Amino acid sequence: MTNHKPEAKSRSDEAAEGPDGGWSWPLVGALFVSTSLVFGLMRSLGVFFVEFVQYFEESAQAISWISSTGLAAQQFFSPLGAALCNAYDTRVVVMTGGFLAGLGFILASQATCLVHLYLSMGLISGLGWGLVFTPMVATVVANITRRRALALGLGFSSIGIVSFIFNPLFQFLVETYAWRGALLILGGLSLNIVPCGALIRPQRRPKAPEKVDSESRPSCAEVLRRVASYVELPLLMERPYLTYTSAVTLLNVGYFVPYFHLVAHSRQAGFSDYQSAFVMSAAGATDILGRVASGWFSDLGKFRLLHLLTLWTGLAGVFIMLLPVSSVFGSYAALMVISLLYGFCSGAMTSLVFAVVPMIVGVERVMGALGLLQLIESGAGLLGTPLSGLLKDVTGNYIASFMVAGGFVVLGTLTMTTLPHYFSCTDPPSPRRRSHDDNDKSLHFELEQISRSPSDAGHRGVQ
Amino acid sequence: MKLLWAVSALLLCCWRASASTAGFTKSPLSQMKLINDSAELHCEVIGNPIPEVQWWFVEGEEPNEKFTQLFDGARDGRVQVNATYIAHATSAIHLISLTLDDSGTYECRASNDPDRNELKKTPKIKWIRSQANVIVIETPNIITEPSEVVNQTSAVLSCNLTESSLPIKGSHWMHNGKLVDSSMSTDATPYTTLRLDKITHSSSGKYECVFMTDPEVKQTIEVKTLPHVSTHKHSEHGNENDKGVMVCDSHGYPLPTDWTWVKEVDGIQTPIINGTSDKYEIKSTPNKTTLTINDLSINTDIGDYICFGTNELGTSHDKIHLRVRSRLAALWPFLGIVAEVIILVAIIFIYEKRRKPDEVTDDDDSGAAPLKSNSNANHKDKNVRQRNSN
């Protein structure tokens, strides 16, 4: 009962700006737009690569390094983005990231050699994307507690929807304006991330307590300690976070394999080019559906998010392993059905992967946690596709690659089951960050009481 | 001593027995060929030591046979003999440009006898022989009707095999070297027809009627149409000051011998001649033609370009429209998008200032994302308030 009064106060005082308030849903819109401009854009750059191969007269592999660099930069700079948000204002960081992403493409339009493209489209834009994605996701996760998974699902569904629009659009831009003009316009489009960042409420977060300000020049160790706390490095010492990160890393090894190899595999199984491409499009469509549907379903509160996540990842792993089996029998219908199911499960799992993080590390550490997560899982992505390619080269077909990929996903699922309190039916209390002011124990006790409110709110549906 | 003699005699017999006389493993086969065709005869012999193989031409009847040996290059180079002597002996004789005089019996002779070339002994004793007949016949006349199809929409091709006593096992038609599936027939008639209902550039070419006799006889009927000239892209793009490339290709039979390019602006056609200036380059093969325009300019080079392909029957053409993109064309949409971004950001900031003019810089009442220590302060305040009210 004592908890209801502050909530009533918050509702009347800041009806529009409290958690889950009216201002939070435009944030979902901002997430939608910025995610589409980061990942949706990244996935539709194939049109430009054809032009680059022709113009720079380089091999397709050299050109594909551009997007690899961009993705790697985005994931590598994620902890940096998280740290900057912890140290300064999220809004400023995201707006700067959007500006950098746009700048990268604008510079790329003036490129005269391949290295310029690596630096501009790869490094600068990747840095910008890193400063945008993790802070936006963390902001949405922190701001929306009741319908977190749905919000994330809606936000991430943009990737699939937008890829239907961007591919023909970019083709048209390249034809009308040549690739230089098209890149310039793309830079302008990327600048649209800046208004998305502007939608985030400004807040200044004095990270260290007031007594640090009295020191005129912080010592080296002090600075390092502050940086480590910005990046949330201590998280790596905690078993739940470490378990979850390794689970997600294992997932990532196998997760991307079907996207890269499904078309080639179905062609090898004897289906026509058109049929193979259609399988991919169908899987993409169910992916979008899966994201939104699983987000909506998880928020009904009937099951723990973690249980649902392991369900979807386990199913996705199983379907990945079934994919080559269905096409070995030569049945197009079987391949189509399994691909649709795989698409649904993989979409369902992406909207939950980030929603589970606050349950494990607590809402306040989400920013740093996501940054570190992105960095660590980037290694997995780099490992997974070359490994599957190698398996294909060695064995001659894709069966081994898909089996191994599915195996990794199932392994990740099993790792997730080793999280503490996995088998309990309700969520454990989410951990609170260790306050710097350890003196005030009473404050500490009150804080623990209040920290239960987000999870209580989540369980309202159960009662 | 006697035992020693017996053993050595036995060994000698064994040694001598390891030598084997020559024997044919492959004999030459008799065949019937047409004039100007070519024939090949194979012969393989085993023996120890490896036998020698020779080819002889036999004329006349026994016992007045006339034998002529055939060497590599005999008969004015129309005879080629290819022999190998590894493990066993093989020899192949190749006769080209056959004439009626080449008809006769060809003999493959082999021997591994050490004194096979002894002049005092008759060859028949030392050499083994295998014979084959080669009969060269006149090409039977095939009457084709019509002899050539020119510029017709449909036609019926027919072949009539006359003056031939060869047995006919069937017949079929070939189009440009590929079998026409529906024309396969096993009738033993010397007459065959092929119906072409709609003659387009894809059905033009060389048609051959083939009679399955031994040897096969065939005749060609040419179906000629106007060339079919087409382009892959009807609208080409080029960048200013860059070069623009336009390609036309053609299918059909016969392929164009002449290609010309013409530029059309407002209905006025001006021909483009190769080599007059650095601006235009034309490269043509019977299959396709390429026009390259260097240093494109927006003022002069935009327009329609027509390629003409000419063969013995006539000319056809296709049109390509060239668009030149200016360097700064993309700048305007870009500036438009940047303006839109600035306006959006301005709207958001102004809206914020309007709603909460005094709370933009306020730490305690941070609206969204109570992520860090601020939230502690927030809840602490509320809790304090609540306790006080109690």
Side-chain angles (χ1 to χ4, degrees):
Chain A
M1 195 176 102
T2 50
N3 280 339
H4 285 299
K5 259 213 168 164
E7 283 183 40
K9 276 239 174 219
S10 83
R11 240 179 261 139
S12 60
D13 277 349
E14 296 145 6
E17 278 127 47
D20 299 300
W23 192 247
S24 307
W25 287 92
L27 274 182
V28 177
L31 179 67
F32 186 94
V33 173
S34 53
T35 311
S36 67
L37 285 173
V38 170
F39 285 112
L41 204 95
M42 222 196 278
R43 287 198 193 174
S44 309
L45 287 178
V47 177
F48 287 98
F49 292 159
V50 175
E51 296 289 318
F52 289 155
V53 167
Q54 214 179 12
Y55 185 84
F56 292 103
E57 283 158 18
E58 295 274 352
S59 72
Q61 198 176 24
I63 302 284
S64 70
W65 269 106
I66 298 174
S67 83
S68 308
T69 317
L71 184 64
Q74 185 262 320
Q75 288 175 322
F76 186 74
F77 288 117
S78 283
L80 175 70
L84 285 174
C85 287
N86 282 334
Y88 304 106
D89 197 354
T90 314
R91 168 190 262 193
V92 171
V93 172
V94 174
M95 286 173 78
T96 315
F99 177 73
L100 280 176
L103 184 69
F105 279 104
I106 295 170
L107 289 177
S109 73
Q110 306 302 317
T112 50
C113 71
L114 200 54
V115 178
H116 291 171
L117 285 179
Y118 289 149
L119 289 176
S120 58
M121 259 171 94
L123 201 60
I124 299 180
S125 291
L127 169 62
W129 291 332
L131 292 180
V132 165
F133 182 66
T134 306
M136 283 289 330
V137 173
T139 312
V140 168
V141 161
N143 270 291
I144 298 181
T145 47
R146 288 182 59 188
R147 289 217 212 278
R148 201 175 268 153
L150 177 62
L152 285 177
L154 280 176
F156 294 150
S157 67
S158 66
I159 302 175
I161 296 174
V162 135
S163 67
F164 282 123
I165 304 172
F166 274 178
N167 272 311
L169 176 68
F170 290 179
Q171 181 68 36
F172 168 73
L173 284 177
V174 165
E175 265 185 31
T176 324
Y177 296 111
W179 64 265
R180 288 188 191 273
L183 277 180
L184 190 65
I185 294 178
L186 227 63
L189 269 181
S190 293
L191 284 179
N192 274 303
I193 298 176
V194 176
C196 295
L199 276 175
I200 303 175
R201 288 282 147 168
Q203 65 254 180
R204 243 169 287 118
R205 268 189 279 281
K207 208 35 210 323
E210 289 75 25
K211 56 188 178 190
V212 182
D213 292 354
S214 60
E215 288 178 41
S216 51
R217 279 180 92 223
S219 65
C220 213
E222 179 69 27
V223 167
L224 279 176
R225 192 174 72 84
R226 281 172 75 180
V227 167
S229 72
Y230 288 156
V231 175
E232 304 287 4
L233 223 42
L235 272 175
L236 288 177
M237 311 290 181
E238 288 179 27
R239 191 186 141 225
Y241 182 70
L242 211 52
T243 320
Y244 189 68
T245 310
S246 24
V248 173
T249 310
L250 286 169
L251 284 179
N252 264 298
V253 174
Y255 171 72
F256 291 108
V257 168
Y259 286 108
F260 282 107
H261 292 311
L262 188 55
V263 177
H265 170 68
S266 32
R267 274 199 217 150
Q268 207 184 33
F271 302 117
S272 75
D273 289 357
Y274 173 72
Q275 283 175 317
S276 313
F278 190 63
V279 166
M280 203 62 226
S281 312
T286 46
D287 185 289
I288 300 171
L289 193 66
R291 286 175 201 231
V292 179
S294 108
W296 169 80
F297 180 70
S298 330
D299 285 323
L300 290 180
K302 297 246 166 31
F303 300 98
R304 269 181 75 185
L305 281 186
L306 196 53
H307 290 162
L308 281 176
L309 179 60
T310 42
L311 171 72
W312 296 127
T313 50
L315 279 179
V318 165
F319 287 136
I320 294 179
M321 290 205 275
L322 281 180
L323 270 172
V325 170
S326 68
S327 55
V328 152
F329 289 117
S331 159
Y332 185 65
L335 179 65
M336 189 58 130
V337 165
I338 305 249
S339 304
L340 288 174
L341 288 171
Y342 159 73
F344 188 83
C345 292
S346 90
M349 111 189 176
T350 47
S351 67
L352 289 180
V353 163
F354 293 123
V356 168
V357 173
M359 309 252 163
I360 299 174
V361 302
V363 172
E364 344 150 283
R365 295 192 291 181
V366 156
M367 184 75 80
L370 283 178
L372 280 178
L373 184 63
Q374 285 267 294
L375 175 65
I376 296 172
E377 73 180 11
S378 68
L382 283 173
L383 171 69
T385 6
L387 177 66
S388 66
L390 178 72
L391 280 172
K392 189 256 171 185
D393 286 336
V394 164
T395 62
N397 57 31
Y398 288 100
I399 297 180
S401 334
F402 277 103
M403 287 291 180
V404 168
F408 269 108
V409 174
V410 171
L411 203 59
T413 314
L414 292 173
T415 315
M416 250 189 266
T417 59
T418 67
L419 279 169
H421 307 293
Y422 179 78
F423 291 105
S424 65
C425 277
T426 56
D427 281 310
S430 46
R432 201 75 178 162
R433 99 187 323 281
R434 263 179 283 132
S435 160
H436 291 287
D437 268 345
D438 273 338
N439 299 329
D440 202 338
K441 290 229 171 76
S442 55
L443 172 66
H444 211 57
F445 176 72
E446 279 154 24
L447 292 177
E448 279 195 20
Q449 285 231 334
I450 289 154
S451 76
R452 294 222 175 89
S453 47
S455 26
D456 276 351
H459 280 285
R460 230 171 259 160
V462 178
Q463 290 149 17
Chain B
M1 197 61 175
K2 274 192 188 164
L3 191 61
L4 193 64
W5 273 112
V7 168
S8 54
L10 194 65
L11 282 173
L12 199 66
C13 289
C14 290
W15 174 74
R16 289 230 46 184
S18 71
S20 54
T21 48
F24 283 105
T25 52
K26 196 168 178 183
S27 297
L29 300 167
S30 297
Q31 39 198 273
M32 201 184 291
K33 292 284 172 181
L34 299 173
I35 291 181
N36 264 333
D37 207 347
S38 64
E40 205 171 292
L41 299 164
H42 283 272
C43 195
E44 274 180 33
V45 193
I46 53 165
N48 193 356
I50 296 180
E52 181 195 339
V53 177
Q54 290 176 352
W55 288 96
W56 289 76
F57 182 57
V58 185
E59 286 167 296
E61 291 293 313
E62 274 197 47
N64 303 322
E65 292 163 325
K66 184 162 163 252
F67 293 95
T68 325
Q69 189 173 10
L70 294 172
F71 301 94
D72 189 41
R75 293 186 187 166
D76 294 322
R78 292 188 301 114
V79 173
Q80 288 158 22
V81 177
N82 214 341
T84 60
Y85 297 97
I86 311 165
H88 59 271
T90 69
S91 184
I93 183 169
H94 203 77
L95 304 153
I96 57 173
S97 301
L98 291 168
T99 62
L100 291 171
D101 295 328
D102 289 326
S103 295
T105 309
Y106 288 78
E107 201 175 76
C108 174
R109 288 190 193 174
S111 169
N112 62 352
D113 198 315
D115 34 280
R116 55 182 173 267
N117 288 319
E118 195 73 23
L119 289 170
K120 296 184 195 138
K121 306 216 167 98
T122 46
K124 272 188 196 158
I125 302 170
K126 298 287 178 178
W127 291 78
I128 55 171
R129 306 179 302 159
S130 177
Q131 288 183 341
N133 284 326
V134 173
I135 305 173
V136 183
I137 54 172
E138 292 252 8
T139 316
N141 194 16
I142 301 178
I143 302 176
T144 55
E145 182 66 43
S147 56
E148 204 182 58
V149 175
V150 169
N151 219 359
Q152 290 172 17
T153 46
S154 68
V156 175
L157 309 172
S158 66
C159 285
N160 200 351
L161 178 62
T162 59
E163 303 169 10
S164 175
S165 50
L166 293 168
I168 303 169
K169 295 197 202 88
S171 60
H172 61 261
W173 287 84
M174 307 267 277
H175 176 208
N176 288 338
K178 247 181 75 168
L179 176 69
V180 178
D181 289 316
S182 53
S183 67
M184 198 75 180
S185 136
T186 46
D187 290 341
T189 51
Y191 185 71
T192 180
T193 58
L194 183 68
R195 201 189 163 81
L196 298 173
D197 287 318
K198 196 162 175 292
I199 298 180
T200 61
H201 63 275
S202 53
S203 54
S204 64
K206 289 192 181 166
Y207 284 88
E208 271 180 332
C209 57
V210 180
F211 287 96
M212 312 291 275
T213 50
D214 183 25
E216 240 177 40
V217 289
K218 49 190 169 191
Q219 188 66 278
T220 309
I221 303 177
E222 286 179 314
V223 176
K224 297 182 182 173
T225 58
L226 279 177
H228 175 81
V229 170
S230 65
T231 56
H232 289 287
K233 290 199 226 175
H234 285 275
S235 172
E236 272 282 354
H237 297 266
N239 299 319
E240 205 182 0
N241 301 341
D242 207 352
K243 62 179 187 193
V245 174
M246 286 174 280
V247 176
C248 274
D249 52 14
S250 135
H251 306 279
Y253 181 84
L255 288 172
T257 46
D258 259 327
W259 288 98
T260 49
W261 283 90
V262 152
K263 179 173 165 187
E264 186 178 276
V265 176
D266 297 332
I268 306 168
Q269 298 192 347
T270 44
I272 300 170
I273 308 164
N274 201 8
T276 41
S277 60
D278 285 330
K279 201 157 161 71
Y280 297 109
E281 281 166 37
I282 302 180
K283 288 200 189 109
S284 305
T285 63
N287 261 337
K288 76 176 190 191
T289 180
T290 312
L291 171 67
T292 310
I293 309 179
N294 293 315
D295 198 23
L296 289 169
S297 106
I298 295 183
N299 301 326
T300 56
D301 288 326
I302 293 185
D304 290 324
Y305 290 82
I306 310 176
C307 57
F308 289 95
T310 312
N311 71 358
E312 60 183 70
L313 292 185
T315 310
S316 25
H317 63 273
D318 203 359
K319 197 192 290 196
I320 306 177
H321 182 74
L322 181 69
R323 287 224 214 102
V324 182
R325 300 185 271 229
S326 93
R327 283 195 169 246
L328 297 175
L331 200 58
W332 305 113
F334 171 70
L335 290 177
I337 297 178
V338 171
E340 166 245 330
V341 165
I342 294 176
I343 291 172
L344 273 179
V345 174
I347 290 177
I348 292 172
F349 277 127
I350 292 172
Y351 178 73
E352 223 172 80
K353 277 233 157 76
R354 283 263 181 88
R355 283 212 78 203
K356 298 264 163 96
D358 43 14
E359 287 193 42
V360 174
T361 52
D362 201 332
D363 268 0
D364 286 332
D365 268 336
S366 68
L371 280 182
K372 295 284 175 230
S373 39
N374 263 347
S375 58
N376 303 346
N378 224 352
H379 288 271
K380 179 172 135 191
D381 277 344
K382 292 202 181 85
N383 229 13
V384 165
R385 259 179 256 149
Q386 188 240 326
R387 253 196 275 137
N388 283 343
S389 64
N390 270 352

